[in-house]
């Protein structure tokens, strides 16, 4: 059975590895970029995603790339603590949370795809243009950088082609494109004096202006210094138009200025921004939830299906869960087919598997998307601001402990990483189908 995956991002690559683990052998990943380069800055892989990477045999390799945060702590604009909770192993999970560089992680996955599936499995310089749904198979059309076309026939096409997905645009032409909420994000990395315990992810501010930082590595050779990832966020001025894309480098000086007052006794925010190696600017965008992902024997996965705001640090983790769930259902459906199954039965099994995948993942990601629009777990910062804009002596005078805990727990339940639910959930590693 031939499987075509469009997009060699985190979702597409984990899908390739998961389908291969499930026993599928004819898998090709087509990537628009002419070459895979380590783009982006930091991302967080939450325990539910690390469980899946561990079941793919990649837990140690990914852990070596980054840092396992010990805590996540929320502060107001004055640096006063609102809520703090242990994370990963420190919170009693069987799997850590990992902060890694997105590009380094993507290249690790790509190397693993090449090692397990063969060096030809990833075909760069192929942009998906359209997919034609036949009665029993799909025909995917790609365009190469020199303008030549390439067509492939497959029993399954997976659109893992990101927030501007071509397959999504084809199937949902009236969907309206990415939706901007008026916030601008500036992402960067910087080497700064180690703050707190050296492994804490912090968020400070509220719904209008915010600063997030987390270590991406242990202390550097220069003692007392740590490489951190940061995100500074602010509402764009009235009348500003939406920015086009990720990865636009910009001058840090105006951003340093905007955070000039944010000098806490435990972290100097303007100095952190000023120390950035590079700052990338982009709009806070997501996509509307879709009424369906499957069309013929094609489906969507990751940001192509449900791009969401980064609050809650869940984009990559949800793409990984999609990939694992898809492979699980496909293996189950195909295993049930006899060896004499023809094109009709195979197509029916593939479509049933895609429907099962969608039934698991589409409502779950739509609920999470709605929560991220309500700020997700970061709502505690907004509440603290609304109830005590000038700060507080004791946060529990402003937000009761039970309310703080419920906001944190509700998000974990929706995202699939509530500790008890995650530990009890059955594995998504399928019994292998015959190669
Ligand atoms: C360049 C880049 C930098 C990013 N940086 C960050 C970051 O710093 N922090 C963060 O939290 N998230 C970042 N993200 C987003 C994050 O990686 C995703 O939210 C998450 O990993 C889900 O991944 P995905 O595989 O669904 O989509 P993506 O990571 O967007 O991957 C999609 C892949 O498909 C390729 N593609 C696009 N269109 C086509 C097409 N028509 N045909 C074939 N291939 C196509 C893209 O080149 C890309 O490799 C970044 C994404 C990109 C593309």
């Amino acid at each position: 059975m031939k499987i075509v995956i469009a997009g060699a991002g985190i979702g597409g690559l984990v899908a390739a590895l998961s389908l291969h683990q499930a026993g599928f052998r004819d898998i090709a990943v087509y990537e628009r970029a002419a070459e895979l380069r380590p783009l982006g800055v930091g991302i967080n892989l939450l325990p539910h995603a690390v469980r899946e990477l561990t079941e793919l045999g990649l837990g140690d390799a990914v852990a070596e790339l980054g840092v396992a945060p010990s805590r996540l702590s929320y502060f107001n604009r004055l640096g006063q603590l609102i809520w703090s909770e242990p994370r990963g192993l420190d919170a009693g999970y069987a799997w850590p949370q990992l902060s890694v560089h997105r590009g380094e992680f993507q290249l690790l996955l790509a190397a693993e795809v090449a090692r397990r599936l063969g060096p030809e499995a990833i075909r760069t310089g192929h942009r998906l243009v359209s997919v034609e749904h036949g009665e029993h198979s799909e025909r995917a059309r790609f365009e190469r950088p020199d303008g030549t076309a390439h067509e492939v026939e497959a029993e399954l096409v997976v659109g893992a082609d990101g927030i501007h997905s071509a397959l999504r645009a084809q199937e949902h032409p009236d969907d309206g494109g990415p939706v901007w909420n008026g916030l601008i994000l500036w992402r960067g990395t910087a080497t700064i004096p180690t703050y707190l315990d050296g492994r804490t992810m912090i968020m400070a501010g509220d719904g209008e202006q915010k600063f997030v930082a987390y270590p991406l590595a242990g202390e550097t050779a220069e003692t007392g210094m740590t490489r951190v990832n940061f995100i500074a966020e602010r509402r764009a001025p009235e009348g500003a138009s939406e920015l086009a894309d990720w990865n636009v480098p910009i001058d840090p000086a105006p951003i340093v200025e905007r955070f000039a007052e944010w000098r806490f006794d435990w972290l100097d925010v303007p100095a952190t921004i000023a120390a950035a190696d590079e700052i990338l600017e982009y709009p806070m965008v997501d996509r509307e939830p879709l009424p369906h992902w499957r069309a013929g024997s094609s489906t969507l996965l990751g940001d192509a299906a449900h791009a969401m705001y980064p609050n809650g640090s869940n984009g990559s983790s949800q793409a990984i869960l999609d990939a694992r769930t898809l492979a699980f259902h496909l293996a189950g459906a195909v295993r049930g087919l006899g060896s004499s199954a023809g094109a009709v039965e195979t197509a029916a099994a593939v479509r049933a598997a895609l429907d099962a995948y969608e039934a698991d993942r589409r409502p779950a990601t739509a609920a999470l998307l709605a929560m991220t629009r309500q700020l997700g777990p970061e709502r505690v910062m907004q509440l603290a601001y609304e109830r005590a804009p000038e700060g507080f002596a004791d946060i529990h005078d402003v937000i009761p402990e039970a309310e703080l805990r419920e906001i944190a727990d509700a998000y974990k339940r929706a995202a699939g990483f509530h500790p008890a639910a995650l530990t009890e959930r059955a594995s998504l590693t399928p019994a292998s189908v015959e190669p």
Side-chain angles (χ1 to χ4, degrees):
M1 179 171 138
K2 183 159 188 67
I3 301 173
V4 161
I5 298 170
I10 290 163
L13 294 170
V14 174
L17 292 168
S18 303
L19 290 161
H20 180 264
Q21 181 191 48
F24 297 98
R25 289 295 174 265
D26 194 356
I27 304 166
V29 184
Y30 290 87
E31 164 60 43
R32 174 183 61 178
E35 175 195 6
L36 287 183
R37 291 185 297 122
L39 296 177
V41 282
I43 56 169
N44 269 278
L45 301 168
L46 300 178
H48 51 333
V50 177
R51 172 179 179 178
E52 299 311 323
L53 295 169
T54 304
E55 293 195 23
L56 277 170
L58 295 173
D60 291 343
V62 180
E64 272 176 31
L65 279 186
V67 166
S70 60
R71 304 193 72 78
L72 170 58
S73 301
Y74 298 93
F75 300 84
N76 65 5
R77 286 180 186 219
L78 306 171
Q80 296 175 311
L81 184 65
I82 298 168
W83 171 254
S84 180
E85 61 183 26
R87 300 293 276 196
L89 300 178
D90 292 82
Y93 286 97
W95 302 274
Q97 173 171 337
L98 295 171
S99 305
V100 296
H101 186 283
R102 175 197 176 272
E104 291 170 9
F105 176 49
Q106 184 189 16
L107 291 193
L108 180 149
L109 294 172
E112 207 53 32
V113 169
R115 197 176 69 77
R116 296 185 190 184
L117 283 71
E120 304 297 313
I122 302 176
R123 300 170 197 186
T124 52
H126 284 80
R127 182 172 67 86
L128 180 72
V129 182
S130 64
V131 179
E132 191 183 309
H133 312 298
E135 209 176 327
H136 307 127
S137 65
E138 308 285 279
R139 180 168 287 274
R141 290 199 181 82
F142 296 90
E143 195 176 284
R144 299 193 184 100
D146 63 6
T148 56
H150 178 69
E151 288 197 0
V152 201
E153 193 149 333
E155 274 74 46
L156 167 60
V157 174
V158 181
D161 49 346
I163 188 166
H164 301 291
S165 166
L167 180 57
R168 177 180 176 128
Q170 171 184 307
E171 299 302 330
H172 302 276
D174 302 325
D175 161 56
V179 186
W180 186 37
N181 70 357
L183 293 172
I184 296 187
L185 308 185
W186 295 286
R187 288 180 182 268
T189 53
T191 301
I192 59 164
T194 302
Y195 67 87
L196 301 175
D197 68 350
R199 288 204 296 133
T200 295
M201 176 171 189
I202 67 99
M203 303 196 182
D206 46 65
E208 294 299 300
Q209 183 160 351
K210 197 176 80 187
F211 187 77
V212 178
Y214 52 87
L216 273 181
E219 284 205 332
T220 59
E222 193 188 342
T223 314
M225 301 296 279
T226 301
R227 184 172 167 237
V228 299
N229 182 84
F230 70 80
I231 307 164
E233 176 185 314
R234 194 166 191 263
R235 191 158 295 283
E238 198 72 17
S241 59
E242 182 184 336
L243 299 143
D245 221 334
W246 299 87
N247 297 326
V248 183
I250 51 140
D251 174 17
I255 309 163
V256 172
E257 190 53 39
R258 287 194 171 113
F259 285 83
E261 311 285 305
W262 297 39
R263 291 180 197 278
F264 313 141
D265 52 9
W266 49 273
L267 177 71
D268 186 329
V269 172
T272 303
I273 300 170
D277 309 318
E278 180 178 61
I279 297 189
L280 306 175
E281 178 176 68
Y282 65 94
M284 175 97 104
V285 286
D286 67 3
R287 304 284 315 241
E288 293 295 346
L290 289 175
H292 62 89
W293 292 353
R294 181 176 76 78
S297 296
S298 295
T299 194
L300 299 169
L301 182 151
D303 279 6
H306 50 65
M308 56 184 82
Y309 301 149
N311 48 40
S313 316
N314 235 309
S316 306
S317 297
Q318 294 301 319
I320 291 170
L321 286 185
D322 288 351
R324 299 286 294 158
T325 307
L326 175 65
F328 177 82
H329 287 298
L330 195 67
V334 170
R335 211 179 312 112
L337 289 171
S339 52
S340 58
V344 178
E345 291 96 328
T346 303
V350 168
R351 289 168 193 185
L354 296 187
D355 288 342
Y357 153 70
E358 188 171 328
D360 273 1
R361 298 298 301 150
R362 195 166 54 77
T365 49
L368 196 58
L369 202 151
M371 276 187 124
T372 58
R373 287 181 172 180
Q374 300 301 314
L375 300 176
E378 296 170 23
R379 200 151 64 82
V380 294
M381 296 155 77
Q382 184 61 19
L383 284 182
Y385 178 68
E386 283 165 11
R387 296 180 192 177
E390 304 304 326
F392 43 80
D394 181 346
I395 183 62
H396 297 136
D397 296 340
V398 180
I399 314 177
E401 156 104 29
E403 189 177 357
L404 290 165
R405 186 169 299 284
E406 178 49 24
I407 291 171
D409 281 354
Y411 183 74
K412 291 191 187 80
R413 282 193 297 270
F417 72 110
H418 195 274
L422 178 58
T423 308
E424 282 158 21
R425 167 165 79 60
S427 168
L428 287 170
T429 302
S432 183
V433 294
E434 286 297 309

